Amino acid sequence: MHRTYRMGRPGYHDWMHPPRDLSMPSVPAPWQRTASGANLLGPAGQLGVTIFEEMTTLAAQTGAINLGQGFPDEDGPREIKAAAMAAIEAGANQYAPGKGILELREAVAAHQERFYGLAPDPHTEVIITTGATEGIAATLLAFVGPGDEVLTFEPFYDSYGAVIGLSGATHVTAPLLAPDFYPDMTAMEAAFTDRTRVVLLNNPHNPTGAVFPRHVLQRVVELAAKHDCLIITDEVYEHLTFGARHIPVATLPGAAERTITISSAGKTFSFTGWKIGWLTGPDHLVAAVRTVKQFLTYSSGTPFQAAIATGLALPDEFYQGVAATLQKKRDILSEGLRAAGFDVYTPQGTYFVNVDTAPLGIGDSVDLARRLPGLVGVAAIPVPVFCHPEGAERTRSLLRFAFCKKVDLLEEAAARLATLSGKL
């Protein structure tokens, strides 16, 4: 658990690509709190770029296969693309309603009932957002501020820290522990306090690939009820699981009345650039979020919203096929990573696989991430960048690879990685 969250944490500038020297006022400005929350400020206020930008630049310079950023290199179903083009031709090119077009809100509600037995009212309990990222930001900004605490698991997706920093709230973490990356239950229970306003839960979990079991989720709900806090649950990888069943938090006893559930089309349908997300929850909580959301983007992606309504109605075979295809890709890349000499933590969900570099005698994954494109022509992301200092030390030998790429590219990456031990 890490309770103090100050600007300029020592060590974080170490992986920044060349910093800019910016003056630091005695009271940090909102942008500085945002940058600090995303691990982008050095101890003297230097502003760096994200690790994703650094690794992407290295991949481009060296011709490496970029398995760092988690976006697919193949488009999603043709019928969804056709629906978007048809919507454009039909004139769906102006502002959508602030809460999203009714067709998609109804499709989201039908999806929740079809897969999970939930029945949100599409008129009052569903909002369409500019990706899940906006949904998370609008929800946090609606409910937390200075004096509040927001609890996340660690490692955590970097936008969580950024928005928590922007809000002025304190970011508290509880560790996820290898090999299964389930929470340290004792630390999780200790992390809740009477100042905990929100617990922000990502399940299936990026970057670890964990899919949390029912007993873990139920304990989160019990602790949230005990401390009277809200649950924000980011479930964008809900359909990308491998043998493990995704359990939405809102389906658990005592959860629905305090839970905002967030998801998106990008991961399931491989249209990340469309930025179509949604959130569901009790009407009074959704109304509060909508109050903030309408002054962020107001609305976006009108023809894409109509197309994603088509996607959500695709048959079960589509959803099963997406997961089965990704599982095969996971296994192809994992084989190459094992051949390289890494310890591989097989993910139960998402499209990321984590490895431990320690068996190769390497304890610093940040350093290896910078060397890897030049050594074998593959780029990855070091897991410590998703952590506060204590967590960064705990995960300092872990690397994350994305396997949401074409099979031939993954096979080439696996072959390159298999040569690593001979090049160190």
Side-chain angles (χ1 to χ4, degrees):
M1 181 175 63
H2 186 83
R3 286 200 178 283
T4 53
Y5 194 45
R6 300 186 176 92
M7 304 291 292
R9 294 181 298 278
Y12 272 68
H13 63 290
D14 292 346
W15 53 67
M16 294 177 189
H17 188 68
R20 294 170 56 198
D21 189 13
L22 298 169
S23 61
M24 288 285 288
S26 57
V27 178
W31 74 265
Q32 290 168 317
R33 297 198 306 269
T34 304
S36 181
N39 298 332
L40 293 179
L41 282 186
Q46 310 100 310
L47 179 62
V49 300
T50 68
I51 191 68
F52 302 101
E53 184 175 343
E54 181 179 350
M55 292 300 107
T56 296
T57 300
L58 276 175
Q61 290 172 345
T62 60
I65 296 172
N66 188 356
L67 302 184
Q69 283 192 285
F71 59 86
D73 59 1
E74 298 177 279
D75 282 345
R78 292 180 180 177
E79 53 264 59
I80 301 180
K81 290 197 288 185
M85 290 185 281
I88 291 170
E89 288 297 324
N93 301 305
Q94 308 309 323
Y95 292 127
K99 58 185 177 182
I101 66 171
L102 180 58
E103 180 184 3
L104 181 51
R105 284 182 279 126
E106 289 178 336
V108 168
H111 170 277
Q112 295 300 92
E113 185 165 18
R114 170 186 172 189
F115 287 101
Y116 310 125
L118 298 168
D121 184 334
H123 298 281
T124 61
E125 297 181 326
V126 181
I127 302 175
I128 307 307
T129 61
T130 304
T133 302
E134 187 197 34
I136 293 162
T139 306
L140 285 170
L141 294 174
F143 294 116
V144 303
D148 295 326
E149 292 180 350
V150 179
L151 171 61
T152 74
F153 290 130
E154 188 178 54
F156 54 85
Y157 185 53
D158 58 355
S159 80
Y160 300 171
V163 179
I164 294 167
L166 175 61
S167 76
T170 299
H171 189 179
V172 179
T173 63
L176 301 175
L177 303 179
D180 55 18
F181 294 105
Y182 293 164
D184 179 322
M185 299 298 281
T186 300
M188 181 183 78
E189 293 180 7
F192 278 88
T193 74
D194 290 340
R195 289 174 53 193
T196 305
R197 177 62 174 149
V198 163
V199 53
L200 173 52
L201 180 70
N202 178 208
N203 180 47
H205 185 265
N206 172 22
T208 68
V211 178
F212 301 134
R214 179 176 294 273
H215 76 273
V216 168
L217 299 174
Q218 188 63 62
R219 187 58 181 148
V220 171
V221 174
E222 292 167 357
L223 290 166
K226 176 182 177 182
H227 294 279
D228 193 24
C229 65
L230 300 177
I231 303 170
I232 303 173
T233 176
D234 174 357
E235 302 183 6
V236 296
Y237 297 98
E238 60 188 313
H239 293 294
L240 309 183
T241 62
F242 320 119
R245 180 167 160 263
H246 169 62
I247 302 171
V249 173
T251 63
L252 298 175
E257 64 267 24
R258 64 177 67 251
T259 300
I260 292 285
T261 302
I262 298 171
S263 193
S264 77
K267 306 301 187 294
T268 298
F269 299 116
S270 295
F271 291 117
T272 58
W274 290 11
K275 295 299 290 180
I276 302 297
W278 52 84
L279 62 82
T280 62
D283 57 0
H284 66 288
L285 298 181
V286 169
V289 176
R290 189 170 65 245
T291 301
V292 174
K293 182 259 186 297
Q294 67 184 340
F295 297 110
L296 297 177
T297 60
Y298 179 66
S299 70
S300 58
T302 303
F304 299 137
Q305 290 189 31
I308 295 305
T310 297
L312 288 173
L314 289 174
D316 291 352
E317 290 76 16
F318 164 76
Y319 291 94
Q320 294 162 0
V322 168
T325 298
L326 268 177
Q327 184 169 344
K328 291 177 183 177
K329 292 181 175 183
R330 176 199 71 179
D331 295 344
I332 290 169
L333 181 59
S334 295
E335 183 178 350
L337 292 167
R338 291 190 184 93
F342 295 119
D343 275 348
V344 178
Y345 300 113
T346 302
Q348 294 182 303
T350 77
Y351 39 53
F352 302 109
V353 58
N354 287 260
V355 303
D356 194 341
T357 65
L360 292 172
I362 298 170
D364 184 351
S365 63
V366 174
D367 176 67
L368 181 59
R370 286 194 169 120
R371 296 166 56 204
L372 203 59
L375 286 171
V376 296
V378 177
I381 297 294
V383 175
V385 303
F386 299 105
C387 300
H388 290 163
E390 183 179 337
E393 182 61 29
R394 186 179 60 253
T395 61
R396 69 188 305 268
S397 63
L398 301 186
L399 272 177
R400 189 197 76 172
F401 294 80
F403 53 86
C404 50
K405 309 296 180 181
K406 295 176 182 176
V407 168
D408 58 348
L409 196 72
L410 291 171
E411 290 174 340
E412 174 61 23
R416 294 182 184 186
L417 287 162
T419 68
L420 175 63
S421 59
K423 295 182 177 181
L424 290 173

